[in-house]
Structure formats: structure tokens, C-alpha cells
Amino acid sequence: MIAFALAVMLAFGMTACGDNTSSGTQSASSVSAPGASPLIPDGPAPEINLITGEALAEGLAAGDRPVAVMVNNAQAALPQRGIGSADAVFEMVTEGGITRLLALYADKDTVPQVGPVRSARDQHLQCAMPLNSVIVHIGTSIYAENLLNQYQYSTINGMYLGSTSFVFDEARSAAGYANEHCWYTDAALIAAGMEKLGLSGTGASQALFDFVAHDAQPVVPAQGDAADVAFSFSDSGAVTLTYDAAAAKYLKTAYGAPQVDESTGAQLAFDNVLVLFTDIKLKNPDDPNNLVTDFAMSSGTGYYCYGGKFRAVTWEKGNPEDPLRLKDENGAALQVNVGKSYVAIVGKDREGTLLFGGVSPTGVIGGEGASSDAQSGAAASAEPEL
């Protein structure tokens, strides 16, 4: 019933709320700041693709804002569309151990049909906002809505724009998918939403990482072998990335099977893999009906994988508007190689599940890691209908 109501509300562009969502009235501050986000200082835009570090492709200009789309990653919603075309993908848990993807596209004019689109969480927003991204989602948690309002950050939100910026896949629904797994967007629909809200497509921004120069040779990590990267977000969120030497890419597996883009049939492939660890807890541990996770986004440790090799890193972020910054073991800025990136931000309690070729990078073989309060009961907990 909740899913049906959501479909109706989206189709007619009405406001609504569900469990852990914001109130049905959008604050004026969230739509009264058209154009570039106020978070990004003025200055010349980098002359590279902001998300991959590559030379600007034809049609992509310095100063163009990237797009960030919240994508459903529940097993019942697979396969997704358009995520294979993303320049970078962030993955983090939302509720009950289930993860959600933030797909980043440097060129807003070439975003393919992507989805299913779902609601935003503040941890994902904190990775998109520093890039001055045009953020695309359907609904929010109350914490995500508060964050957007605090920073007067306008987004393309299906709970308000409905069919202006999203399309419902009737065939997918007829095939048995729940309605919340059937909403998609694309470049034209995003453009329509931007026009309706008066959002600018240009503005000062910054690169996702400190990239190796696009015309320089890659820098391959030398700390150890990482031809196979396996870890788990939760008891139900195991991920494997296997290095394909012929393609020079890491291929992603989720839920025990290759994770593919429905539009192309191709398995998700990445040049760079980052597994970053931080403290994760419940925002309201005393409320059994509120499973929303609270990420400590200030700093942490992790690993950078490229070319079948790895190195240990540290990371810093700080405030929501601050960029993610990676450092090597000496505290110097980590130079990330150009190309597509996959970034997993995982609870520290799951660090023992990280294995490179079956061996823990800390020397512990087959570590399992304990479930945190925020991730326990993953198999039994249902994701809120947002």
C-alpha cells in the first residue's frame, strides 16, 4: 500500500512522507537557492573530467556541474540501469544492512536512463555536495532533508517534481517488481527538473580526488596483491571485486552474482577501488522503528586498489561540505589514477571481512567481523518504503 501510494504521489508530483522521511512540506530554503551550490568557492574550474580525472571529452566543458543519482541496491530491485555508465559509484548501508548506490556522472547531458531511483541519505549527500553535484533522488530521510535545508541545497526530488523528472516503467511493474523499484530518470528528465527549479548547469567545483595527471603513467600501488577484493557491508551485503587483467578493470559481484547494467548486460567495471572504514551506529538506537544509520564522516582508514595491487590509506572529510581527501601512509596526498572509481564506505566493525585473495591485509586469514548495532539483523530487517 505504501509503495502504491508513492507511485500515485510521484505520478502527480504531490508531496508525501513515509517512515523516517521529512515532513510533506518542502522548506523554502531547499528550493530558493537556484544555480550553483553556495558550498563551493569561486574560482577556475579544473580542466579535467571532475569525476575520472581524464581529459575533458567532447561536449564536456570545465565548470559543468556533475550529476549524482541515488540508486536502489536492494536485491529485489536488481538489475539496475545506467550504473555501468557512471564515472564513479559510492556504496554505503542505509537501513537493516541494505546498501544504496550514489552514481556520479560528470556530463549531465549524457546521463542514460538510470535507476531504480530511491531516496537520499545524509551520508551519500555528504559525498555529492562538495562536488556541487545536481543531486537526483525520490524522497529523503528526515536527516537528509535537514541537511539539504541547512545548506540551502536544491535537488531534483521526485517527491516534488514527479513525472517532470522521473518515468515509471510499466513493463517492469507488470513483470512483478514493486512500484518503488520502477522509477527512472535520464539526461532529458533531469534537464526538465533543473529548468523548473531554475538550477544552473554550471558552477565552480572541484575534482573527486587528487588525480594523477591524465597524460602521465599510472602509479600502481606496491604494498601487496589485490587481484580479488572481498568484504561485507553487513550480514547480507557481501561484495567482491575481481581484477580482470585483460580488461585492466575490477569487476563487481553482489549478492553472489555479477552485478550488471540491465541496459548493456555488462558487469560493472572499475579502474580504482577504494574500501574506506569509519564508525557507523544508529541515529536513534532507542527507537526500534528507526534503523537509520549515522556515519562518522570526519576521518578514517582504508585501502586503495588499482591494477591488482593495494596500499593502505587514510582519509579525511570533516564537515558535509568538505571534500573527501585521501592520504598515503606518509600523510601525503594520495594520487589516484584516472578512470572510473568504486568507493565503499564500510563500518569499522566489518574491517575483518576485508580479504585480498583470501588473506586479510592485516595478516588475519578469513576474518569475519562482528555485526554492529546498525547492521545486525540485516537478513530479517525490512528497508523502510522510501
Side-chain angles (χ1 to χ4, degrees):
M1 181 64 68
I2 295 176
F4 173 77
L6 174 60
V8 173
M9 286 181 273
L10 282 168
F12 290 96
M14 297 172 65
T15 61
C17 62
D19 293 342
N20 300 325
T21 60
S22 60
S23 62
T25 302
Q26 187 178 29
S27 166
S29 64
S30 68
V31 295
S32 63
S37 162
L39 307 177
I40 309 302
D42 292 334
E47 294 289 337
I48 60 169
N49 180 313
L50 294 174
I51 312 302
T52 67
E54 297 167 320
L56 290 173
E58 183 178 355
L60 181 61
D64 285 352
R65 297 177 67 190
V67 164
V69 184
M70 289 294 305
V71 179
N72 197 333
N73 199 48
Q75 188 171 12
L78 272 56
Q80 301 110 325
R81 294 177 201 157
I83 55 175
S85 299
D87 291 314
V89 172
F90 282 72
E91 183 171 4
M92 288 174 269
V93 293
T94 53
E95 293 84 45
I98 299 170
T99 66
R100 194 158 293 177
L101 306 181
L102 178 77
L104 295 170
Y105 303 84
D107 188 350
K108 68 183 186 310
D109 297 323
T110 61
V111 176
Q113 187 173 83
V114 58
V117 182
R118 286 304 302 270
S119 55
R121 296 294 181 272
D122 58 293
Q123 62 266 31
H124 296 83
L125 293 177
Q126 291 184 62
C127 296
M129 290 167 62
L131 304 173
N132 199 13
S133 304
V134 177
I135 302 174
V136 183
H137 59 105
I138 299 176
T140 64
S141 69
I142 184 62
Y143 308 101
E145 180 73 0
N146 288 343
L147 180 65
L148 293 171
N149 286 338
Q150 178 183 353
Y151 287 96
Q152 299 185 10
Y153 202 107
S154 298
T155 66
I156 307 296
N157 186 349
M159 297 299 280
Y160 305 101
L161 292 173
S163 57
T164 298
S165 292
F166 301 88
V167 63
F168 186 78
D169 188 333
E170 297 285 357
R172 186 173 168 96
S173 176
Y177 283 87
N179 286 347
E180 65 268 23
H181 300 160
C182 298
W183 289 96
Y184 296 85
T185 192
D186 60 28
L189 291 167
I190 293 168
M194 292 177 68
E195 180 178 6
K196 188 175 184 67
L197 292 177
L199 296 179
S200 173
T202 61
S205 190
Q206 55 198 311
L208 178 61
F209 301 122
D210 292 311
F211 288 108
V212 173
H214 65 81
D215 54 355
Q217 290 296 312
V219 178
V220 180
Q223 192 168 345
D225 293 330
D228 186 85
V229 182
F231 62 94
S232 65
F233 287 96
S234 67
D235 293 342
S236 63
V239 169
T240 301
L241 294 115
T242 302
Y243 186 67
D244 183 332
K249 303 280 186 182
Y250 278 96
L251 305 180
K252 187 173 188 285
T253 295
Y255 299 108
Q259 189 164 10
V260 301
D261 187 323
E262 185 181 24
S263 299
T264 64
Q267 189 172 2
L268 299 191
F270 303 94
D271 299 281
N272 302 302
V273 171
L274 283 152
V275 184
L276 308 179
F277 297 100
T278 193
D279 287 317
I280 304 175
K281 60 183 181 180
L282 291 176
K283 287 187 181 290
N284 291 293
D286 295 330
D287 183 355
N289 297 315
N290 191 327
L291 300 175
V292 179
T293 47
D294 186 22
F295 280 64
M297 298 292 280
S298 58
S299 62
T301 60
Y303 296 89
Y304 170 53
C305 304
Y306 177 88
K309 303 289 184 179
F310 79 88
R311 74 182 302 169
V313 301
T314 60
W315 62 272
E316 295 178 353
K317 188 179 185 308
N319 295 321
E321 71 271 31
D322 292 337
L324 176 66
R325 288 293 176 249
L326 304 168
K327 297 184 178 182
D328 64 20
E329 61 273 19
N330 299 315
L334 179 74
Q335 297 293 292
V336 175
N337 292 302
V338 302
K340 294 189 176 186
S341 298
Y342 169 76
V343 184
I345 301 183
V346 187
K348 281 184 180 178
D349 60 292
R350 309 298 300 191
E351 190 167 2
T353 69
L354 177 64
L355 302 173
F356 295 142
V359 179
S360 169
T362 60
V364 179
I365 299 177
E368 290 300 323
S371 295
S372 69
D373 290 340
Q375 297 165 341
S376 62
S381 297
E383 183 182 25
E385 294 289 342
L386 298 181

